Amino acid sequence: MSASAGDREPGTLLDNAMEDTIGPTCTGENSKHDSAVCSGNTEIKSRAVVKYSAAPPPTSYALLQEKTDLKLPPANWLRENPQLGSAGTTILGSNSKSKPFSSFGMAYDFIDCIGDDVDVVSDSENIKKLLKIPYSKSHVSMAVHRVGRTLLLDELDIQELFMRSSQTGDWTWLKEFYQRLIDQKWQRKKKSKEHWYQKAILSKFLYYSINGDGAAEPVSDNLNEGEEENRTAQFSSSWPTTFTSTESDTEESDAPKQESVPMESKFALGQVTSVPKEQNLPMLFNEGENSQGLRNDFVRNIMWTFEDIHMLVGSNMPIFGGGRYPAVSLRLRDNNKPINILTGIDYWLDNLMCNVPELVMCFHVNGIVQKYEMIKTEDIPHLENSTFSTRVVKDIAQNILSFLKSNCTKEGHTYWLFKASGSDIVKLYDLTTLCEEAEEEKCQNPFTLPVAVLLYKVASNLMLKARQNQKHYGTIRTLLLNCVKLLDQERHPQIIASAHYMLSELFQLDEPPQEDGGESLRAGGSEDSYSDEDGEEEEEEGEAELTEDSDENSSYSSCSRSQDDSKAVAVIRSVGELSVPEKYKSTHQIRPSGPFPVSQNKEERCRHVLSYVLKGIKAVDGSIKKESDLPAADPNTPIPLKYEDRSAAGACAAETGISLLLERAGPLQADQKHPTRSGMIPGSWQHRMKLQLFLKASKAYYVLSDAATNLLKYGRALRYIKLSLQSYDAYCSVSGTLHPQVLQFHSQCLSLCGDIQLMLAQNANNRAAYQEEYSYQTKEDQEILHSLHRESSCQAFNIATDLAMDPEYQLFVSSKCYEAAYELLVSEALTDHNSDQLAPVLKRLGNIRNEMGVFYMNQAAAMQTEKEVKKSVSVVEQEMWKKSFAFFEKGMKDFEAIRDRTNTALLLCNTGRLMRICAQAHCAVSADQSRGEFSPEEALYYNKAIDYYLRAMKALTSRESHPAVWDSVNWELSTTYFTLATLLQDYAPLSRKAQEQIEREVTEAMMKSLRYCDLQTESARQPLYQYRAATIHHRLASMYHSCFRNQVGDEHLRKQHRSQAELHYSKAVCLFLSLKDAPCELLRTLLERVAFAEFTMAGQSSSAAKLKSLTGAIENMTETRFAFQMIHKELLEEQIELSEPQPAESAESPDVTSGPSSGLNLQEVMKLVGVFEPSFSFLLLQLIKLMTTMKRKPSNKDEELLKTYKNVYSKLLRAEKTAPLLSRVSLYIELLQQLTPQSESDDRGAHS
């Protein structure tokens, strides 16, 4: 036969290989051409491409002399020759029957073609036998398997099978079925002496043809006929038996091994694909089946396209050079026997498949060479006595393929195509179904394992393509599910575990599946199964005549019975139907188009992944040890758990947490040699597979946790991230080293865990619901956890994943998770990997430190407000400040490291707030609990706060960078300056500083606060800014007013104070007027302004100056009408609300200090009214006195004005002091309104 697989040179499995090929017309690109074979008026399209050849380039054959006696053996007879293949090749590939798994050997070598590109994979002998069915009376028995749209055909030698079953006990159910339905008495016919004689002279003829000298050289030990028969029979194939290492096998194993890159290095079934071919399958099939029939032992593999049928064919036909063509085939014929149609079809198909253009026929009589004759391939169909129609052969091929494709629908099933000798009826049985009905074990079918491995290998190959194109996912899923269905977990755990891992890989965890049309699984289906096209057809009863096959001496008889029809999947009632064009037309797609049935729901996809992971882990565990085999724990020895007791004092007891989280970060023991906890040997397939499955489980739980976090289900999210980290812990326990990508994924897990703990701390109100979510666990999760515990205690990350009740502890754990994630990313193992995770982790780290800083700052503020008596600052408070400040400092460094200016500014702003809390804590309290002077400690902390706010503004550079943060910092800065100035003004440290110095500091702080009051930008804070600016102007005016009154001596300074007071009073009035909701403040400011005018008048001596001052004061007083109008409106609204019958609201009636809706301070109003009335009366009285005592004669206007003043003064005096506030306010508005026109006209007159 062919050269062994071990002799094949690397690289020859290529379409364009230029070495070890037939010749220029048959190899590489040159062989890729179509040849049209003419038959009458029709043409048959045939195209042959040599995919692989183990034979050397063809050499010329030796033309034997006439009368050469072929009965005498040549000297080189039966010696291995590359031209003829291995020593067993004695005829044109047809002497020895096809090995039962020959198509699988080819399929393994050309896995890319299987499932899609190729229709049929088979030995050329099987193809020829099928196409000769209508012409031949001989039996046909073939096993058919489907993978995708590819059919694999192998000869199924029933008698050989039954001979074997009598020894092994296998296939007994098929033997009984065969005897019951087909042939009750079967016998194995021996080959005749004539048969062995013909084989012997053909073998000798071929060796003479390559010998070169044409002389018969007898071998040293003459073989008698019996010896020849035994010698030749030694090389004929038989059903694989228990493997024994023969001499040829030893030579094969010693041959240089072909090194190949593992195609599925991603997957754990490494032995199947990443080893030399000789070692490839034996390692996999050492559990029952031998590898002898599973190698691709053909001299050449050809991609043959016959019309529209694509076939991968194995051929052993010797090809020689010479003649007009570079390739010819040699045939030996008995001159006394004419060529029949079967022989003609045989020769024609052989030449078409191998793209050989010419046939050389050597005729002999009783072994004596007579003559040679050359025949073109296209002339073979027209030879005398063997004329046949090529078009009919084409129709036969298309009908048989359509029949098989329509009826062999189930992947993984073994179908049996059977035609009894002498019968016209062809039947197709589903042996897998029959086996199941017979309740036999899966291993009873020797095809099961090769089929399952082929399904697996095709899926693995498609998996590589699926990385770029998801349309293959449905196909892969179907292949793998069918593969798993075929195998027994106890016998083949490796393939089952690997298949389940690949199934889990199909479900994309990181992105939603794209709706991608194309080849995919039918929605919801686990396998492709279709009904027959023609249905089960009745077969006519009757007994066919028993005839001997002209080519084979073995015979099969057919006793068709009605019960046989019920067992057949499909029946061809007459072989003549195969010659009718398109009699059998396949209308079934092997895989109809449809979307891969993966839910858009991320949780559902993860659940699919975890179910496959669990099945994979179970397969691995089942192959290692049973649980009862594990060593029992010693009850006296405590089990060391990898977590710390944190009962001492919450977060403080867990300070070592980060080291625990980082425990799994660095590379572990460099070379793990000892078995793992469950007994796995490092480096074994179980070890590699468990690593993949544990990591996949960890990733699936991570995605589930992330999804739960997005749904705000934080208890569920924490449970899932716990399972993810437990899976990772088990992975670390099994793994010798950790890949950088694994470390990066671990960093993501820790980061997500930190997020969840932070969210739990911030949502403490829902703790009961979170506790319930956290405690729940599915059965699947429990089983996975149980499997994880076989390898690890899974305690390493308990600190990070426990659900605590204390928000402070949760924040602490969150920060430790982020710190561990950061430490991982900057560790030596990841130094060469530019991770895009570093910036997000640093951002999270900065954020959690800000959260913790705010937490401790708020605790300090709460302590401050809870103090009944303000004593000196406690040690606990100071500790809180220190912790808060330290976290803010670290957070700022984190944000600065990633140049996050906005968040840096926010942390600076928070630090400023902390400084203000420190300042408030240091306020001095005197013995009577009254507020003491503004202390230097307060000044220090307020100034520090101002520094931090200024740094925050510097970090932001401009408002455009982040308007919201800029406005916030701006407001806080203005507030701090204002608070500092207010405290300095109200609680002036006169014991330490001079009045003038304090006034300067107040003015400076007030002006700075005013500078940061953004009055132009429209925002929610604009009214607050306006109110603050008005208050600042009012306070400054009051201060200058006070200075003016108290200043003695320096007239220039007094004048300055006076003008400043006037300026600030006018600005304050304008701003309060624009607010329209600060009547008390407006009224107070105006009354102070009037008082300032009165004080000015008191220092004047001339009547004219006094009159001017009084007139200005009365103008200011008239402006109070705006304040009274606002107060009147508020009082009216309050009255209306109180009068409405709303018991619920009346029960909540306002007290004297505030109105119900506006917050009007009635007590303040009463106080201001008490100041307003006497001041107004005094002004009017002084004006009346001054105007009546004037020496100059009054004008008419003056008289009218005086009359008005008297009238207003009279009404004011007569007003009842006990009248309701509303009526009094109404009176004031009326009186002030009377004064308004006169004052305005008088003002106009003065200006004119």
Side-chain angles (χ1 to χ4, degrees):
M1 195 164 276
S2 70
S4 69
D7 297 330
R8 301 181 185 187
E9 295 180 11
T12 55
L13 287 174
L14 295 170
D15 284 354
N16 56 356
M18 300 306 291
E19 298 179 345
D20 295 348
T21 49
I22 300 168
T25 61
C26 302
T27 76
E29 296 301 325
N30 296 328
S31 67
K32 295 183 181 180
H33 65 271
D34 297 342
S35 58
V37 181
C38 299
S39 175
N41 295 325
T42 62
E43 279 191 356
I44 297 298
K45 293 178 183 173
S46 175
R47 181 172 182 260
V49 178
V50 178
K51 301 286 282 184
Y52 168 80
S53 174
T59 56
S60 297
Y61 60 93
L63 199 64
L64 302 186
Q65 296 176 3
E66 197 175 340
K67 306 298 182 186
T68 300
D69 187 356
L70 295 177
K71 293 191 290 295
L72 298 174
N76 63 346
W77 190 39
L78 298 183
R79 292 178 187 169
E80 190 165 333
N81 187 288
Q83 190 72 24
L84 298 180
S86 60
T89 304
T90 56
I91 199 171
L92 308 179
S94 63
N95 77 303
S96 60
K97 294 175 186 172
S98 303
K99 290 189 177 182
F101 300 114
S102 60
S103 68
F104 289 91
M106 282 191 284
Y108 292 156
D109 278 353
F110 301 100
I111 204 77
D112 272 339
C113 307
I114 307 305
D116 192 21
D117 302 334
V118 174
D119 295 301
V120 177
V121 179
S122 186
D123 184 349
S124 61
E125 297 303 313
N126 295 333
I127 301 288
K128 290 189 292 183
K129 191 175 285 190
L130 282 178
L131 298 187
K132 291 188 293 185
I133 283 178
Y135 303 98
S136 171
K137 291 292 182 183
S138 63
H139 79 285
V140 174
S141 175
M142 289 190 194
V144 185
H145 297 91
R146 182 173 80 75
V147 177
R149 61 185 291 265
T150 302
L151 296 174
L152 280 74
L153 305 178
D154 294 280
E155 183 171 1
L156 189 61
D157 188 336
I158 291 293
Q159 294 194 356
E160 181 78 24
L161 195 66
F162 293 163
M163 290 287 288
R164 180 173 180 263
S165 74
S166 62
Q167 300 169 5
T168 63
D170 294 343
W171 292 84
T172 51
W173 60 273
L174 183 58
K175 185 175 180 180
E176 290 169 8
F177 169 74
Y178 181 78
Q179 289 176 334
R180 186 173 69 251
L181 297 180
I182 298 171
D183 190 2
Q184 290 184 336
K185 294 181 181 179
W186 67 274
Q187 57 179 349
R188 184 175 181 84
K189 293 205 170 186
K190 293 183 179 180
K191 307 284 186 183
S192 65
K193 288 188 176 182
E194 174 65 19
H195 172 80
W196 294 117
Y197 166 73
Q198 292 294 342
K199 283 190 176 295
I201 64 167
L202 173 59
S203 175
K204 292 167 187 173
F205 164 69
L206 289 173
Y207 275 96
Y208 273 124
S209 298
I210 61 168
N211 196 28
D213 55 6
E217 297 179 13
V219 291
S220 56
D221 296 324
N222 290 325
L223 298 172
N224 59 33
E225 206 169 67
E227 287 172 332
E228 286 180 16
E229 179 180 329
N230 294 337
R231 182 77 175 267
T232 310
Q234 177 185 340
F235 297 101
S236 64
S237 89
S238 61
W239 199 269
T241 56
T242 308
F243 182 77
T244 53
S245 179
T246 62
E247 184 179 343
S248 63
D249 292 316
T250 309
E251 288 170 9
E252 285 177 20
S253 64
D254 291 338
K257 301 294 187 276
Q258 172 186 344
E259 292 185 16
S260 59
V261 178
M263 277 170 55
E264 309 103 18
S265 56
K266 271 279 292 182
F267 313 112
L269 196 59
Q271 290 97 321
V272 181
T273 54
S274 59
V275 293
K277 286 201 169 68
E278 301 84 26
Q279 301 170 8
N280 194 343
L281 293 161
M283 294 180 74
L284 187 63
F285 296 107
N286 57 3
E287 297 141 327
E289 295 307 329
N290 159 27
S291 67
Q292 284 173 296
L294 293 171
R295 286 202 305 269
N296 181 2
D297 277 339
F298 294 103
V299 173
R300 64 187 62 80
N301 302 121
I302 301 154
M303 187 65 75
W304 181 41
T305 305
F306 185 57
E307 283 294 305
D308 59 345
I309 304 169
H310 304 284
M311 292 178 264
L312 179 61
V313 176
S315 171
N316 290 319
M317 183 176 77
I319 298 175
F320 296 88
R324 292 163 298 172
Y325 298 98
V328 296
S329 58
L330 277 181
R331 302 287 179 170
L332 182 66
R333 290 298 302 174
D334 191 330
N335 210 10
N336 298 326
K337 294 180 182 179
I339 297 174
N340 62 24
I341 192 169
L342 294 174
T343 308
I345 291 174
D346 223 42
Y347 292 173
W348 180 68
L349 288 173
D350 265 331
N351 276 18
L352 277 189
M353 288 182 207
C354 295
N355 206 20
V356 175
E358 200 164 22
L359 167 70
V360 175
M361 194 92 77
C362 176
F363 292 93
H364 73 96
V365 176
N366 295 326
I368 307 298
V369 174
Q370 301 295 314
K371 63 176 180 176
Y372 280 86
E373 186 178 329
M374 300 193 80
I375 306 165
K376 290 183 180 178
T377 300
E378 58 264 32
D379 295 336
I380 296 174
H382 311 297
L383 290 176
E384 191 179 350
N385 298 322
S386 71
T387 305
F388 61 91
S389 166
T390 57
R391 180 60 60 184
V392 171
V393 176
K394 183 268 296 183
D395 290 336
I396 293 167
Q398 289 175 333
N399 279 325
I400 289 175
L401 179 64
S402 296
F403 172 76
L404 292 175
K405 280 202 171 182
S406 296
N407 296 294
C408 302
T409 56
K410 295 181 179 177
E411 264 176 338
H413 280 226
T414 298
Y415 292 90
W416 179 28
L417 186 72
F418 180 75
K419 182 179 88 73
S421 180
S423 171
D424 279 349
I425 299 167
V426 182
K427 299 172 188 177
L428 185 72
Y429 297 96
D430 184 347
L431 293 187
T432 304
T433 305
L434 292 174
C435 180
E436 287 168 357
E437 289 171 2
E439 296 182 355
E440 296 281 349
E441 292 185 18
K442 289 178 184 175
C443 61
Q444 290 287 330
N445 181 350
F447 283 103
T448 298
L449 188 57
V451 172
V453 171
L454 182 59
L455 292 172
Y456 173 85
K457 287 168 76 73
V458 173
S460 302
N461 189 55
L462 280 176
M463 199 75 178
L464 300 174
K465 298 177 184 174
R467 296 280 178 262
Q468 289 78 38
N469 191 347
Q470 293 186 3
K471 74 174 185 178
H472 297 295
Y473 279 10
T475 307
I476 295 167
R477 185 165 179 258
T478 304
L479 290 165
L480 292 172
L481 287 173
N482 286 327
C483 167
V484 169
K485 199 183 298 181
L486 288 173
L487 298 172
D488 180 6
Q489 183 163 311
E490 289 191 7
R491 294 170 183 267
H492 311 292
Q494 182 181 0
I495 309 176
I496 288 176
S498 188
H500 279 125
Y501 174 71
M502 273 202 284
L503 281 165
S504 74
E505 279 284 284
L506 291 177
F507 295 88
Q508 295 295 306
L509 297 177
D510 49 352
E511 57 183 344
Q514 298 173 355
E515 285 296 333
D516 186 15
E519 277 193 49
S520 54
L521 180 67
R522 292 183 307 156
S526 62
E527 66 173 40
D528 295 318
S529 177
Y530 306 93
S531 58
D532 313 341
E533 181 183 25
D534 300 320
E536 294 186 2
E537 303 177 24
E538 291 290 324
E539 184 186 350
E540 296 178 6
E541 292 187 11
E543 209 170 84
E545 182 184 355
L546 297 176
T547 60
E548 273 198 354
D549 182 7
S550 58
D551 291 342
E552 299 279 350
N553 289 329
S554 60
S555 70
Y556 291 74
S557 67
S558 171
C559 303
S560 301
R561 299 178 183 177
S562 58
Q563 64 261 43
D564 182 18
D565 297 342
S566 66
K567 296 288 185 183
V569 173
V571 177
I572 298 175
R573 286 169 294 191
S574 169
V575 291
E577 293 178 354
L578 294 173
S579 304
V580 180
E582 299 188 357
K583 171 68 177 175
Y584 293 92
K585 190 172 182 181
S586 176
T587 57
H588 293 80
Q589 282 182 281
I590 293 298
R591 283 197 180 87
S593 295
F596 177 46
V598 178
S599 168
Q600 294 288 336
N601 186 330
K602 194 179 280 188
E603 186 162 355
E604 204 173 315
R605 293 207 303 276
C606 290
R607 280 290 159 201
H608 280 302
V609 169
L610 290 169
S611 69
Y612 289 128
V613 164
L614 179 58
K615 288 172 184 172
I617 292 174
K618 282 182 175 178
V620 177
D621 284 342
S623 71
I624 305 168
K625 281 184 178 183
K626 299 290 180 285
E627 285 184 56
S628 57
D629 297 337
L630 290 173
D634 181 1
N636 300 318
T637 305
I639 298 171
L641 299 178
K642 300 173 184 174
Y643 63 88
E644 294 290 328
D645 178 24
R646 64 159 197 259
S647 58
C652 300
E655 283 296 338
T656 56
I658 192 165
S659 61
L660 290 173
L661 297 179
L662 287 170
E663 186 178 78
R664 301 301 200 185
L668 307 176
Q669 52 270 39
D671 186 17
Q672 214 173 3
K673 294 180 180 178
H674 301 292
T676 64
R677 182 170 172 170
S678 66
M680 280 193 309
I681 307 300
S684 63
W685 72 264
Q686 290 101 328
H687 182 255
R688 293 198 304 275
M689 178 52 71
K690 265 207 176 175
L691 283 174
Q692 301 273 33
L693 290 168
F694 284 168
L695 193 58
K696 193 72 182 176
S698 185
K699 287 179 178 177
Y701 281 125
Y702 169 83
V703 174
L704 281 171
S705 180
D706 190 43
T709 305
N710 293 335
L711 293 171
L712 313 182
K713 303 283 186 183
Y714 301 123
R716 188 195 304 173
L718 186 63
R719 168 164 55 88
Y720 283 139
I721 201 66
K722 178 170 186 147
L723 285 163
S724 176
L725 287 167
Q726 284 175 323
S727 303
Y728 178 80
D729 190 15
Y731 175 90
C732 295
S733 298
V734 180
S735 176
T737 53
L738 295 179
H739 191 273
Q741 288 178 344
V742 177
L743 291 175
Q744 285 178 340
F745 166 69
H746 181 43
S747 173
Q748 285 179 298
C749 288
L750 290 171
S751 185
L752 179 59
C753 188
D755 291 348
I756 295 163
Q757 291 284 12
L758 173 58
M759 291 296 105
L760 286 167
Q762 290 178 344
N763 294 273
N765 297 336
N766 298 331
R767 192 162 285 142
Y770 296 148
Q771 182 69 52
E772 189 178 341
E773 290 172 8
Y774 181 74
S775 305
Y776 175 78
Q777 207 165 35
T778 66
K779 186 182 178 186
E780 194 174 67
D781 294 340
Q782 289 171 350
E783 288 186 37
I784 289 175
L785 191 56
H786 180 72
S787 299
L788 297 176
H789 279 300
R790 287 174 63 89
E791 301 297 346
S792 167
S793 62
C794 300
Q795 301 283 346
F797 301 103
N798 274 9
I799 244 185
T801 55
D802 281 349
L803 180 59
M805 296 292 111
D806 178 18
E808 180 184 356
Y809 183 77
Q810 287 171 328
L811 288 172
F812 169 78
V813 169
S814 178
S815 72
K816 289 301 174 191
C817 287
Y818 292 139
E819 284 173 30
Y822 173 73
E823 292 294 332
L824 269 177
L825 292 174
V826 296
S827 63
E828 285 184 20
L830 293 177
T831 45
D832 299 332
H833 295 76
N834 293 326
S835 175
D836 53 359
Q837 294 177 37
L838 192 58
V841 167
L842 273 171
K843 198 164 191 171
R844 282 176 162 83
L845 202 49
N847 180 55
I848 190 62
R849 284 167 172 168
N850 176 52
E851 289 289 336
M852 294 191 78
V854 169
F855 177 83
Y856 289 120
M857 179 170 70
N858 289 341
Q859 280 203 328
M863 284 181 189
Q864 208 168 292
T865 53
E866 286 168 9
K867 273 192 204 173
E868 292 180 7
V869 180
K870 286 207 171 188
K871 298 178 181 176
S872 59
V873 181
S874 67
V875 177
V876 180
E877 265 186 287
Q878 289 180 336
E879 282 300 315
M880 292 294 173
W881 296 343
K882 286 175 184 176
K883 283 184 181 180
S884 179
F885 183 75
F887 280 118
F888 286 143
E889 284 281 296
K890 287 178 183 176
M892 277 184 268
K893 286 177 183 174
D894 295 330
F895 287 127
E896 282 166 4
I898 54 172
R899 297 178 182 175
D900 188 339
R901 293 175 174 274
T902 307
N903 280 315
T904 305
L906 278 172
L907 261 80
L908 285 164
C909 194
N910 279 338
T911 314
R913 188 178 154 219
L914 176 66
M915 294 300 112
R916 284 162 61 191
I917 289 171
C918 295
Q920 288 163 18
H922 281 92
C923 73
V925 180
S926 59
D928 59 350
Q929 298 303 313
S930 61
R931 174 75 165 85
E933 286 185 351
F934 185 65
S935 66
E937 289 83 3
E938 286 179 273
L940 172 70
Y941 282 115
Y942 275 121
N943 283 314
K944 279 187 177 180
I946 287 165
D947 287 342
Y948 282 114
Y949 289 133
L950 288 171
R951 279 174 61 189
M953 297 199 80
K954 189 177 178 183
L956 289 170
T957 63
S958 67
R959 187 174 186 274
E960 286 69 31
S961 58
H962 202 294
V965 177
W966 175 274
D967 290 346
S968 178
V969 175
N970 199 64
W971 170 257
E972 294 294 339
L973 184 56
S974 174
T975 303
T976 309
Y977 274 125
F978 179 72
T979 307
L980 176 64
T982 305
L983 290 170
L984 263 173
Q985 191 176 13
D986 294 349
Y987 307 102
L990 294 170
S991 61
R992 294 182 289 106
K993 292 183 180 179
Q995 178 74 34
E996 292 79 8
Q997 187 183 351
I998 293 169
E999 286 169 5
R1000 277 198 306 273
E1001 288 178 8
V1002 169
T1003 306
E1004 186 183 343
M1006 285 289 187
M1007 293 310 291
K1008 282 179 178 175
S1009 177
L1010 196 59
R1011 189 194 309 162
Y1012 292 107
C1013 287
D1014 187 358
L1015 302 175
Q1016 276 69 45
T1017 307
E1018 288 189 11
S1019 65
R1021 283 203 181 97
Q1022 193 179 25
L1024 296 174
Y1025 275 128
Q1026 288 176 335
Y1027 183 85
R1028 175 166 293 164
T1031 306
I1032 288 170
H1033 284 301
H1034 175 217
R1035 279 184 161 271
L1036 285 172
S1038 298
M1039 188 182 75
Y1040 286 122
H1041 182 178
S1042 175
C1043 292
F1044 178 68
R1045 290 180 66 168
N1046 299 327
Q1047 184 70 39
V1048 181
D1050 193 340
E1051 199 59 38
H1052 173 72
L1053 198 58
R1054 290 192 78 228
K1055 193 179 284 186
Q1056 206 173 19
H1057 287 161
R1058 180 182 168 181
S1059 63
Q1060 286 289 336
E1062 276 292 339
L1063 174 68
H1064 287 297
Y1065 273 132
S1066 67
K1067 285 185 178 180
V1069 168
C1070 288
L1071 285 166
F1072 280 132
L1073 277 170
S1074 65
L1075 279 171
K1076 302 195 186 307
D1077 61 353
C1080 293
E1081 288 82 353
L1082 174 61
L1083 186 56
R1084 186 186 298 107
T1085 306
L1086 286 166
L1087 290 174
E1088 282 187 21
R1089 194 176 185 186
V1090 169
F1092 180 67
E1094 287 175 4
F1095 179 75
T1096 307
M1097 181 198 69
Q1100 292 171 335
S1101 53
S1102 70
S1103 298
K1106 282 187 177 183
L1107 184 60
K1108 188 176 180 181
S1109 295
L1110 283 170
T1111 307
I1114 209 73
E1115 283 176 13
N1116 290 332
M1117 190 62 86
T1118 57
E1119 287 186 10
T1120 59
R1121 73 184 185 280
F1122 296 113
F1124 283 121
Q1125 282 169 355
M1126 286 186 266
I1127 291 168
H1128 185 264
K1129 185 182 175 185
E1130 297 281 353
L1131 291 171
L1132 267 178
E1133 286 176 1
E1134 178 189 338
Q1135 198 173 44
I1136 292 166
E1137 283 184 21
L1138 288 171
S1139 63
E1140 287 177 1
Q1142 293 178 351
E1145 289 190 10
S1146 61
E1148 299 173 3
S1149 58
D1151 56 22
V1152 272
T1153 58
S1154 63
S1157 57
S1158 65
L1160 185 66
N1161 190 335
L1162 293 179
Q1163 194 173 351
E1164 181 74 9
V1165 171
M1166 294 298 290
K1167 191 188 293 182
L1168 291 170
V1169 166
V1171 175
F1172 168 78
E1173 275 193 20
S1175 180
F1176 193 22
S1177 299
F1178 175 76
L1179 280 178
L1180 289 169
L1181 180 60
Q1182 291 301 319
L1183 266 172
I1184 292 166
K1185 278 183 181 180
L1186 199 59
M1187 289 179 78
T1188 51
T1189 56
M1190 278 184 68
K1191 292 178 181 178
R1192 69 181 176 85
K1193 188 180 178 181
S1195 64
N1196 293 333
K1197 283 183 182 179
D1198 290 340
E1199 286 179 356
E1200 284 177 21
L1201 195 57
L1202 181 60
K1203 188 178 178 182
T1204 305
Y1205 289 151
K1206 285 179 179 180
N1207 184 30
V1208 170
Y1209 183 61
S1210 172
K1211 285 181 181 179
L1212 187 62
L1213 287 175
R1214 287 198 299 271
E1216 287 189 27
K1217 307 299 180 192
T1218 58
L1221 181 61
L1222 186 62
S1223 59
R1224 289 168 71 187
V1225 170
S1226 300
L1227 176 65
Y1228 299 152
I1229 294 170
E1230 183 190 337
L1231 296 176
L1232 291 166
Q1233 198 70 41
Q1234 288 180 24
L1235 295 175
T1236 305
Q1238 285 83 351
S1239 63
E1240 286 176 355
S1241 62
D1242 191 53
D1243 187 54
R1244 280 196 298 271
H1247 283 298
S1248 64

